[in-house]
Every structure is written in C-alpha cells, then in structure tokens.
Amino acid sequence: MLDFELSDSQIQWREKARDFARTRILPVAWHFDAQDETPLEILDAAYQAGLVNTDVPKAYGGKGLGLVESVLLTEELAAACAGLATSIFDNSLGMEPLILCKNDALKQRILPEMVNNAKRICFATSEPTMGSDVAGMRCLAKPDGEDYILNGTKYWITNGGIADYASVFATVDPKSRHEGICAFVVPLDQPGVTRGRPIPKLGQRCSNTVGLNFKNVRVPKADVMAPPGKGFVLAMKTFARTRPTIGAFGVGAARTAMELALD
C-alpha cells in the first residue's frame, strides 16, 4: 500500500520554511512588490537559514534533499510571496542541469561554491523570439578549438540581474534545432556579458527578471555541461525534475488566497 504520510524530517523542513515565510517574507513582501525590487537581504537570510541549495548532493557538500522536500519548502515560501519564493528556488533550477550533467570536474568546482559561499546561479534557455520552443533558440555557440564563443541574448531570466553564474543553453546551428543545442556554465562577471534592466511584470515583482546579452564571450571546454546534440536532452531532464516544484508556487499562493477569503 502506498504511504503518503510525511516523514518526521519532512515535517520539520516544512515547519522551518513556514516559520521563515511568516517572520521574514510576509512582513516585507508587499513593500518590495510595490517597489518592483528583489530584497537581497531576504535571499541571504534564506541561505543562512538553510533553505537554499537543499538539493545539492551530499557528495558535493549539500544536504541531498529530494523533490518532495523541495515542493514542501516552496509551497510554504510561496504562501507568503510567490515572487520571493521564485528567486529563492531559482538556484535549484540553475543548478539542476549541472547536477544532471556528466562533467564531474565542473560539479566539484561550482556546486561547493553554491553551498559554502552563497553564490547564485540562474537558468537561461528562453530568448526574445523563443519561449517554450527550446529547439528554436538562436543564441549562437561557435566552436573555437575546444572552446566556444557565445553571441546572442537570453530573456525572461529569473535572477539574471543578481546571479553569479548562468546555466546557458545555446546552439552551434539554429537550423539544426535540437541536434545543435549545447549547454555551459557561464560566469556573469566577465567581459562581454551585459545584464538588462528588470523586466516590468504584472506579478512576481519581488523576483528579479532580466535579459542577458552575450557578445564574444569565451566559454572554455572545462565549463561545458553538454556538447552539441546533448543540450536539448539535458534541458528536458531539467524541466522534468523541476516542474513539480513549479506547481508548488501555485498551490502556496492559492492556499493563502483561500485562507484570506475564509477570513
């Protein structure tokens, strides 16, 4: 028989997230939503509270929590502010292709930075002319020896304006669609990377969303997560692993709407 009861550990994580949502997020959410601003102090506090990077495997210094814990944490945070919950969760989305990829040396270098140094990583697939059609991307990754040169723009990138790294998906040939897609970890403080201004939104205003432009940005072989032809599958695996948590944002927000209506 299936058992849908939460474990004691899962209940403790849920209560920890609920307490953080009530004491740290809820008192400031309306203010920063009105300002269209992401309060970095709240993201830092979530990191200090151990609510960020919970899914980093233990082999790389993380807690190794699973999808159920991720859903529980996100629902509680989103019940106070779905926008802030999005920016808190975004490290998990940005790291997922890195966790799933086969470049262990890159994992050993980047994942401990997330865990130990509060670094942020965002996820970049969408483009101005391409949203859900991942195979239609046009951001170009031109091979240069064993390296790649990135040129193009990514858009609607959550935490793109405040992240240290980006998981960037690009193509060696737009005409080849999914067969040309590759993936890289790109530091966002290097020459050639430009971050756009925050994109105005009707909601989720506490979550930073920008465009990222790459102009002749060199990506060394060591930072490749997926070679051409393997990036599309990596993106789809990332979506499959993270979409259950996306549903938790709606559940948390809807739960609060119900509670307010009852009150």
mmCIF file of all heavy atoms in Angstrom, residues 211-257:
data_model
loop_
_atom_site.group_PDB
_atom_site.id
_atom_site.type_symbol
_atom_site.label_atom_id
_atom_site.label_comp_id
_atom_site.label_asym_id
_atom_site.label_seq_id
_atom_site.Cartn_x
_atom_site.Cartn_y
_atom_site.Cartn_z
ATOM 1 N N GLY A 211 17.032 40.412 -19.105
ATOM 2 C CA GLY A 211 17.659 39.808 -20.273
ATOM 3 C C GLY A 211 19.162 39.741 -20.069
ATOM 4 O O GLY A 211 19.735 40.547 -19.327
ATOM 5 N N LEU A 212 19.794 38.773 -20.695
ATOM 6 C CA LEU A 212 21.244 38.628 -20.657
ATOM 7 C C LEU A 212 21.766 38.617 -22.089
ATOM 8 O O LEU A 212 21.275 37.848 -22.919
ATOM 9 C CB LEU A 212 21.659 37.324 -19.962
ATOM 10 C CG LEU A 212 21.331 37.166 -18.481
ATOM 11 C CD1 LEU A 212 21.682 35.752 -18.012
ATOM 12 C CD2 LEU A 212 22.079 38.194 -17.645
ATOM 13 N N ASN A 213 22.743 39.467 -22.366
ATOM 14 C CA ASN A 213 23.326 39.512 -23.701
ATOM 15 C C ASN A 213 24.779 39.043 -23.640
ATOM 16 O O ASN A 213 25.538 39.430 -22.744
ATOM 17 C CB ASN A 213 23.264 40.931 -24.277
ATOM 18 C CG ASN A 213 23.870 41.003 -25.669
ATOM 19 O OD1 ASN A 213 24.997 41.427 -25.851
ATOM 20 N ND2 ASN A 213 23.094 40.578 -26.666
ATOM 21 N N PHE A 214 25.132 38.219 -24.602
ATOM 22 C CA PHE A 214 26.497 37.689 -24.687
ATOM 23 C C PHE A 214 27.123 38.138 -26.007
ATOM 24 O O PHE A 214 26.563 37.903 -27.082
ATOM 25 C CB PHE A 214 26.481 36.159 -24.617
ATOM 26 C CG PHE A 214 25.810 35.625 -23.394
ATOM 27 C CD1 PHE A 214 24.482 35.230 -23.439
ATOM 28 C CD2 PHE A 214 26.487 35.531 -22.197
ATOM 29 C CE1 PHE A 214 23.842 34.744 -22.316
ATOM 30 C CE2 PHE A 214 25.860 35.050 -21.059
ATOM 31 C CZ PHE A 214 24.534 34.655 -21.120
ATOM 32 N N LYS A 215 28.262 38.810 -25.904
ATOM 33 C CA LYS A 215 28.963 39.290 -27.085
ATOM 34 C C LYS A 215 30.400 38.781 -27.051
ATOM 35 O O LYS A 215 31.222 39.234 -26.257
ATOM 36 C CB LYS A 215 28.942 40.825 -27.148
ATOM 37 C CG LYS A 215 29.553 41.386 -28.418
ATOM 38 C CD LYS A 215 29.386 42.899 -28.491
ATOM 39 C CE LYS A 215 29.956 43.459 -29.790
ATOM 40 N NZ LYS A 215 29.800 44.929 -29.871
ATOM 41 N N ASN A 216 30.670 37.814 -27.899
ATOM 42 C CA ASN A 216 32.010 37.211 -27.999
ATOM 43 C C ASN A 216 32.524 36.743 -26.633
ATOM 44 O O ASN A 216 33.666 36.993 -26.250
ATOM 45 C CB ASN A 216 32.996 38.208 -28.610
ATOM 46 C CG ASN A 216 32.648 38.559 -30.040
ATOM 47 O OD1 ASN A 216 32.159 37.717 -30.800
ATOM 48 N ND2 ASN A 216 32.866 39.809 -30.417
ATOM 49 N N VAL A 217 31.659 36.047 -25.904
ATOM 50 C CA VAL A 217 32.022 35.511 -24.586
ATOM 51 C C VAL A 217 32.635 34.126 -24.771
ATOM 52 O O VAL A 217 32.004 33.218 -25.306
ATOM 53 C CB VAL A 217 30.789 35.432 -23.666
ATOM 54 C CG1 VAL A 217 31.152 34.745 -22.346
ATOM 55 C CG2 VAL A 217 30.239 36.825 -23.401
ATOM 56 N N ARG A 218 33.872 33.995 -24.326
ATOM 57 C CA ARG A 218 34.562 32.708 -24.474
ATOM 58 C C ARG A 218 34.180 31.764 -23.334
ATOM 59 O O ARG A 218 34.252 32.129 -22.157
ATOM 60 C CB ARG A 218 36.080 32.912 -24.496
ATOM 61 C CG ARG A 218 36.872 31.594 -24.647
ATOM 62 C CD ARG A 218 38.353 31.869 -24.862
ATOM 63 N NE ARG A 218 38.580 32.492 -26.167
ATOM 64 C CZ ARG A 218 38.697 31.825 -27.315
ATOM 65 N NH1 ARG A 218 38.605 30.504 -27.324
ATOM 66 N NH2 ARG A 218 38.898 32.467 -28.442
ATOM 67 N N VAL A 219 33.799 30.555 -23.705
ATOM 68 C CA VAL A 219 33.483 29.516 -22.732
ATOM 69 C C VAL A 219 34.508 28.394 -22.901
ATOM 70 O O VAL A 219 34.536 27.735 -23.943
ATOM 71 C CB VAL A 219 32.061 28.965 -22.935
ATOM 72 C CG1 VAL A 219 31.763 27.912 -21.875
ATOM 73 C CG2 VAL A 219 31.034 30.077 -22.886
ATOM 74 N N PRO A 220 35.341 28.155 -21.907
ATOM 75 C CA PRO A 220 36.350 27.095 -22.037
ATOM 76 C C PRO A 220 35.720 25.706 -21.994
ATOM 77 O O PRO A 220 34.607 25.519 -21.490
ATOM 78 C CB PRO A 220 37.262 27.332 -20.828
ATOM 79 C CG PRO A 220 36.410 28.044 -19.837
ATOM 80 C CD PRO A 220 35.461 28.892 -20.637
ATOM 81 N N LYS A 221 36.442 24.746 -22.517
ATOM 82 C CA LYS A 221 35.967 23.363 -22.545
ATOM 83 C C LYS A 221 35.583 22.881 -21.152
ATOM 84 O O LYS A 221 34.614 22.116 -20.998
ATOM 85 C CB LYS A 221 37.058 22.465 -23.125
ATOM 86 C CG LYS A 221 36.701 20.997 -23.153
ATOM 87 C CD LYS A 221 37.865 20.153 -23.651
ATOM 88 C CE LYS A 221 37.510 18.660 -23.611
ATOM 89 N NZ LYS A 221 38.659 17.815 -24.059
ATOM 90 N N ALA A 222 36.298 23.335 -20.134
ATOM 91 C CA ALA A 222 36.039 22.878 -18.760
ATOM 92 C C ALA A 222 34.656 23.271 -18.255
ATOM 93 O O ALA A 222 34.161 22.673 -17.294
ATOM 94 C CB ALA A 222 37.113 23.449 -17.823
ATOM 95 N N ASP A 223 34.033 24.272 -18.892
ATOM 96 C CA ASP A 223 32.737 24.760 -18.425
ATOM 97 C C ASP A 223 31.572 24.253 -19.267
ATOM 98 O O ASP A 223 30.449 24.744 -19.156
ATOM 99 C CB ASP A 223 32.726 26.297 -18.427
ATOM 100 C CG ASP A 223 33.656 26.878 -17.378
ATOM 101 O OD1 ASP A 223 34.128 26.105 -16.517
ATOM 102 O OD2 ASP A 223 33.930 28.089 -17.423
ATOM 103 N N VAL A 224 31.827 23.258 -20.112
ATOM 104 C CA VAL A 224 30.775 22.686 -20.950
ATOM 105 C C VAL A 224 30.002 21.627 -20.158
ATOM 106 O O VAL A 224 30.581 20.659 -19.665
ATOM 107 C CB VAL A 224 31.360 22.054 -22.230
ATOM 108 C CG1 VAL A 224 30.263 21.385 -23.047
ATOM 109 C CG2 VAL A 224 32.071 23.123 -23.059
ATOM 110 N N MET A 225 28.684 21.807 -20.041
ATOM 111 C CA MET A 225 27.839 20.794 -19.399
ATOM 112 C C MET A 225 27.353 19.752 -20.396
ATOM 113 O O MET A 225 27.171 18.582 -20.050
ATOM 114 C CB MET A 225 26.624 21.450 -18.727
ATOM 115 C CG MET A 225 26.950 22.293 -17.521
ATOM 116 S SD MET A 225 25.462 22.790 -16.624
ATOM 117 C CE MET A 225 24.715 23.941 -17.813
ATOM 118 N N ALA A 226 27.098 20.195 -21.637
ATOM 119 C CA ALA A 226 26.602 19.270 -22.653
ATOM 120 C C ALA A 226 27.122 19.706 -24.011
ATOM 121 O O ALA A 226 26.967 20.869 -24.391
ATOM 122 C CB ALA A 226 25.083 19.237 -22.659
ATOM 123 N N PRO A 227 27.730 18.819 -24.775
ATOM 124 C CA PRO A 227 28.207 19.159 -26.124
ATOM 125 C C PRO A 227 27.031 19.258 -27.084
ATOM 126 O O PRO A 227 25.892 18.904 -26.735
ATOM 127 C CB PRO A 227 29.120 17.978 -26.469
ATOM 128 C CG PRO A 227 28.537 16.836 -25.700
ATOM 129 C CD PRO A 227 28.033 17.422 -24.419
ATOM 130 N N PRO A 228 27.262 19.749 -28.306
ATOM 131 C CA PRO A 228 26.174 19.847 -29.286
ATOM 132 C C PRO A 228 25.446 18.511 -29.459
ATOM 133 O O PRO A 228 26.066 17.463 -29.578
ATOM 134 C CB PRO A 228 26.901 20.271 -30.564
ATOM 135 C CG PRO A 228 28.111 21.003 -30.083
ATOM 136 C CD PRO A 228 28.526 20.300 -28.836
ATOM 137 N N GLY A 229 24.110 18.600 -29.470
ATOM 138 C CA GLY A 229 23.295 17.406 -29.603
ATOM 139 C C GLY A 229 22.860 16.809 -28.286
ATOM 140 O O GLY A 229 21.916 16.019 -28.231
ATOM 141 N N LYS A 230 23.531 17.187 -27.186
ATOM 142 C CA LYS A 230 23.188 16.666 -25.862
ATOM 143 C C LYS A 230 22.477 17.707 -25.000
ATOM 144 O O LYS A 230 21.894 17.367 -23.972
ATOM 145 C CB LYS A 230 24.455 16.205 -25.130
ATOM 146 C CG LYS A 230 25.256 15.141 -25.879
ATOM 147 C CD LYS A 230 24.502 13.840 -25.981
ATOM 148 C CE LYS A 230 25.359 12.758 -26.634
ATOM 149 N NZ LYS A 230 24.653 11.462 -26.752
ATOM 150 N N GLY A 231 22.510 18.971 -25.424
ATOM 151 C CA GLY A 231 21.942 20.040 -24.602
ATOM 152 C C GLY A 231 20.428 19.989 -24.503
ATOM 153 O O GLY A 231 19.846 20.287 -23.454
ATOM 154 N N PHE A 232 19.768 19.625 -25.605
ATOM 155 C CA PHE A 232 18.303 19.578 -25.583
ATOM 156 C C PHE A 232 17.804 18.554 -24.576
ATOM 157 O O PHE A 232 16.879 18.824 -23.789
ATOM 158 C CB PHE A 232 17.769 19.258 -26.979
ATOM 159 C CG PHE A 232 16.274 19.236 -27.062
ATOM 160 C CD1 PHE A 232 15.555 20.419 -27.204
ATOM 161 C CD2 PHE A 232 15.576 18.043 -26.983
ATOM 162 C CE1 PHE A 232 14.167 20.402 -27.268
ATOM 163 C CE2 PHE A 232 14.197 18.012 -27.056
ATOM 164 C CZ PHE A 232 13.489 19.195 -27.197
ATOM 165 N N VAL A 233 18.401 17.376 -24.578
ATOM 166 C CA VAL A 233 18.005 16.335 -23.625
ATOM 167 C C VAL A 233 18.259 16.795 -22.192
ATOM 168 O O VAL A 233 17.434 16.566 -21.299
ATOM 169 C CB VAL A 233 18.768 15.024 -23.914
ATOM 170 C CG1 VAL A 233 18.497 13.987 -22.824
ATOM 171 C CG2 VAL A 233 18.370 14.474 -25.269
ATOM 172 N N LEU A 234 19.383 17.487 -21.977
ATOM 173 C CA LEU A 234 19.702 17.986 -20.638
ATOM 174 C C LEU A 234 18.651 19.010 -20.183
ATOM 175 O O LEU A 234 18.222 18.996 -19.025
ATOM 176 C CB LEU A 234 21.090 18.611 -20.618
ATOM 177 C CG LEU A 234 21.577 19.147 -19.263
ATOM 178 C CD1 LEU A 234 21.625 18.029 -18.230
ATOM 179 C CD2 LEU A 234 22.945 19.800 -19.401
ATOM 180 N N ALA A 235 18.226 19.882 -21.097
ATOM 181 C CA ALA A 235 17.193 20.862 -20.761
ATOM 182 C C ALA A 235 15.878 20.165 -20.417
ATOM 183 O O ALA A 235 15.200 20.529 -19.452
ATOM 184 C CB ALA A 235 16.987 21.836 -21.918
ATOM 185 N N MET A 236 15.501 19.154 -21.187
ATOM 186 C CA MET A 236 14.253 18.437 -20.926
ATOM 187 C C MET A 236 14.305 17.689 -19.593
ATOM 188 O O MET A 236 13.319 17.652 -18.849
ATOM 189 C CB MET A 236 13.965 17.458 -22.064
ATOM 190 C CG MET A 236 13.674 18.112 -23.407
ATOM 191 S SD MET A 236 12.273 19.255 -23.380
ATOM 192 C CE MET A 236 13.151 20.839 -23.407
ATOM 193 N N LYS A 237 15.454 17.098 -19.278
ATOM 194 C CA LYS A 237 15.609 16.433 -17.985
ATOM 195 C C LYS A 237 15.508 17.442 -16.839
ATOM 196 O O LYS A 237 14.938 17.146 -15.785
ATOM 197 C CB LYS A 237 16.949 15.700 -17.926
ATOM 198 C CG LYS A 237 17.017 14.448 -18.780
ATOM 199 C CD LYS A 237 18.374 13.764 -18.624
ATOM 200 C CE LYS A 237 18.432 12.466 -19.426
ATOM 201 N NZ LYS A 237 19.774 11.810 -19.291
ATOM 202 N N THR A 238 16.070 18.632 -17.060
ATOM 203 C CA THR A 238 15.979 19.686 -16.049
ATOM 204 C C THR A 238 14.526 20.078 -15.813
ATOM 205 O O THR A 238 14.084 20.202 -14.664
ATOM 206 C CB THR A 238 16.797 20.916 -16.480
ATOM 207 O OG1 THR A 238 18.173 20.551 -16.605
ATOM 208 C CG2 THR A 238 16.661 22.043 -15.466
ATOM 209 N N PHE A 239 13.777 20.279 -16.883
ATOM 210 C CA PHE A 239 12.363 20.629 -16.749
ATOM 211 C C PHE A 239 11.596 19.523 -16.021
ATOM 212 O O PHE A 239 10.751 19.799 -15.156
ATOM 213 C CB PHE A 239 11.741 20.870 -18.125
ATOM 214 C CG PHE A 239 12.263 22.093 -18.816
ATOM 215 C CD1 PHE A 239 12.402 22.120 -20.195
ATOM 216 C CD2 PHE A 239 12.630 23.216 -18.101
ATOM 217 C CE1 PHE A 239 12.886 23.246 -20.846
ATOM 218 C CE2 PHE A 239 13.118 24.349 -18.734
ATOM 219 C CZ PHE A 239 13.246 24.365 -20.115
ATOM 220 N N ALA A 240 11.870 18.271 -16.368
ATOM 221 C CA ALA A 240 11.165 17.153 -15.735
ATOM 222 C C ALA A 240 11.419 17.107 -14.235
ATOM 223 O O ALA A 240 10.520 16.783 -13.453
ATOM 224 C CB ALA A 240 11.583 15.833 -16.385
ATOM 225 N N ARG A 241 12.629 17.462 -13.826
ATOM 226 C CA ARG A 241 12.985 17.419 -12.404
ATOM 227 C C ARG A 241 12.471 18.626 -11.626
ATOM 228 O O ARG A 241 12.225 18.527 -10.428
ATOM 229 C CB ARG A 241 14.504 17.362 -12.261
ATOM 230 C CG ARG A 241 15.120 16.035 -12.623
ATOM 231 C CD ARG A 241 15.014 15.025 -11.507
ATOM 232 N NE ARG A 241 15.662 15.483 -10.281
ATOM 233 C CZ ARG A 241 15.603 14.826 -9.123
ATOM 234 N NH1 ARG A 241 14.911 13.711 -9.037
ATOM 235 N NH2 ARG A 241 16.220 15.288 -8.053
ATOM 236 N N THR A 242 12.299 19.763 -12.302
ATOM 237 C CA THR A 242 11.951 20.995 -11.577
ATOM 238 C C THR A 242 10.482 21.384 -11.694
ATOM 239 O O THR A 242 10.002 22.184 -10.890
ATOM 240 C CB THR A 242 12.818 22.167 -12.053
ATOM 241 O OG1 THR A 242 12.675 22.322 -13.475
ATOM 242 C CG2 THR A 242 14.288 21.926 -11.721
ATOM 243 N N ARG A 243 9.751 20.861 -12.673
ATOM 244 C CA ARG A 243 8.368 21.296 -12.856
ATOM 245 C C ARG A 243 7.438 20.922 -11.702
ATOM 246 O O ARG A 243 6.481 21.649 -11.430
ATOM 247 C CB ARG A 243 7.804 20.784 -14.190
ATOM 248 C CG ARG A 243 8.261 21.596 -15.402
ATOM 249 C CD ARG A 243 8.382 23.062 -15.087
ATOM 250 N NE ARG A 243 8.745 23.892 -16.234
ATOM 251 C CZ ARG A 243 9.732 24.764 -16.246
ATOM 252 N NH1 ARG A 243 10.530 24.880 -15.196
ATOM 253 N NH2 ARG A 243 9.961 25.524 -17.297
ATOM 254 N N PRO A 244 7.628 19.804 -10.994
ATOM 255 C CA PRO A 244 6.776 19.578 -9.814
ATOM 256 C C PRO A 244 6.851 20.719 -8.802
ATOM 257 O O PRO A 244 5.841 21.096 -8.198
ATOM 258 C CB PRO A 244 7.334 18.272 -9.233
ATOM 259 C CG PRO A 244 7.903 17.558 -10.412
ATOM 260 C CD PRO A 244 8.491 18.639 -11.271
ATOM 261 N N THR A 245 8.051 21.287 -8.644
ATOM 262 C CA THR A 245 8.205 22.399 -7.711
ATOM 263 C C THR A 245 7.507 23.647 -8.232
ATOM 264 O O THR A 245 6.979 24.443 -7.442
ATOM 265 C CB THR A 245 9.700 22.679 -7.461
ATOM 266 O OG1 THR A 245 10.339 21.459 -7.080
ATOM 267 C CG2 THR A 245 9.879 23.696 -6.345
ATOM 268 N N ILE A 246 7.478 23.845 -9.559
ATOM 269 C CA ILE A 246 6.758 24.988 -10.120
ATOM 270 C C ILE A 246 5.287 24.931 -9.718
ATOM 271 O O ILE A 246 4.669 25.949 -9.400
ATOM 272 C CB ILE A 246 6.901 25.010 -11.660
ATOM 273 C CG1 ILE A 246 8.367 25.092 -12.083
ATOM 274 C CG2 ILE A 246 6.112 26.177 -12.257
ATOM 275 C CD1 ILE A 246 9.120 26.281 -11.534
ATOM 276 N N GLY A 247 4.711 23.739 -9.710
ATOM 277 C CA GLY A 247 3.323 23.603 -9.279
ATOM 278 C C GLY A 247 3.109 24.034 -7.841
ATOM 279 O O GLY A 247 2.020 24.519 -7.482
ATOM 280 N N ALA A 248 4.138 23.881 -7.008
ATOM 281 C CA ALA A 248 4.012 24.247 -5.598
ATOM 282 C C ALA A 248 3.851 25.752 -5.404
ATOM 283 O O ALA A 248 3.253 26.190 -4.414
ATOM 284 C CB ALA A 248 5.232 23.751 -4.818
ATOM 285 N N PHE A 249 4.371 26.563 -6.337
ATOM 286 C CA PHE A 249 4.159 28.012 -6.246
ATOM 287 C C PHE A 249 2.662 28.311 -6.305
ATOM 288 O O PHE A 249 2.142 29.110 -5.523
ATOM 289 C CB PHE A 249 4.870 28.734 -7.391
ATOM 290 C CG PHE A 249 6.363 28.719 -7.301
ATOM 291 C CD1 PHE A 249 7.111 27.902 -8.131
ATOM 292 C CD2 PHE A 249 7.039 29.522 -6.394
ATOM 293 C CE1 PHE A 249 8.494 27.874 -8.059
ATOM 294 C CE2 PHE A 249 8.416 29.504 -6.317
ATOM 295 C CZ PHE A 249 9.142 28.674 -7.149
ATOM 296 N N GLY A 250 1.962 27.692 -7.260
ATOM 297 C CA GLY A 250 0.534 27.921 -7.398
ATOM 298 C C GLY A 250 -0.245 27.416 -6.200
ATOM 299 O O GLY A 250 -1.201 28.055 -5.750
ATOM 300 N N VAL A 251 0.164 26.259 -5.663
ATOM 301 C CA VAL A 251 -0.529 25.701 -4.503
ATOM 302 C C VAL A 251 -0.380 26.627 -3.296
ATOM 303 O O VAL A 251 -1.348 26.894 -2.575
ATOM 304 C CB VAL A 251 0.012 24.293 -4.186
ATOM 305 C CG1 VAL A 251 -0.587 23.768 -2.878
ATOM 306 C CG2 VAL A 251 -0.308 23.325 -5.320
ATOM 307 N N GLY A 252 0.833 27.125 -3.064
ATOM 308 C CA GLY A 252 1.054 28.017 -1.927
ATOM 309 C C GLY A 252 0.265 29.305 -2.047
ATOM 310 O O GLY A 252 -0.377 29.754 -1.083
ATOM 311 N N ALA A 253 0.297 29.924 -3.236
ATOM 312 C CA ALA A 253 -0.444 31.169 -3.445
ATOM 313 C C ALA A 253 -1.950 30.941 -3.323
ATOM 314 O O ALA A 253 -2.674 31.743 -2.713
ATOM 315 C CB ALA A 253 -0.105 31.753 -4.811
ATOM 316 N N ALA A 254 -2.441 29.831 -3.883
ATOM 317 C CA ALA A 254 -3.872 29.529 -3.818
ATOM 318 C C ALA A 254 -4.314 29.249 -2.387
ATOM 319 O O ALA A 254 -5.418 29.627 -1.970
ATOM 320 C CB ALA A 254 -4.189 28.335 -4.714
ATOM 321 N N ARG A 255 -3.441 28.604 -1.612
ATOM 322 C CA ARG A 255 -3.790 28.324 -0.207
ATOM 323 C C ARG A 255 -3.973 29.612 0.582
ATOM 324 O O ARG A 255 -4.934 29.757 1.352
ATOM 325 C CB ARG A 255 -2.670 27.480 0.425
ATOM 326 C CG ARG A 255 -3.048 26.866 1.759
ATOM 327 C CD ARG A 255 -1.868 26.144 2.370
ATOM 328 N NE ARG A 255 -0.933 27.068 2.970
ATOM 329 C CZ ARG A 255 0.347 26.791 3.256
ATOM 330 N NH1 ARG A 255 0.843 25.610 2.921
ATOM 331 N NH2 ARG A 255 1.118 27.666 3.842
ATOM 332 N N THR A 256 -3.086 30.567 0.356
ATOM 333 C CA THR A 256 -3.222 31.842 1.056
ATOM 334 C C THR A 256 -4.472 32.590 0.579
ATOM 335 O O THR A 256 -5.180 33.194 1.391
ATOM 336 C CB THR A 256 -1.963 32.704 0.833
ATOM 337 O OG1 THR A 256 -0.861 32.073 1.478
ATOM 338 C CG2 THR A 256 -2.142 34.092 1.425
ATOM 339 N N ALA A 257 -4.749 32.546 -0.717
ATOM 340 C CA ALA A 257 -5.968 33.188 -1.230
ATOM 341 C C ALA A 257 -7.211 32.585 -0.571
ATOM 342 O O ALA A 257 -8.147 33.301 -0.197
ATOM 343 C CB ALA A 257 -6.037 33.036 -2.744
#
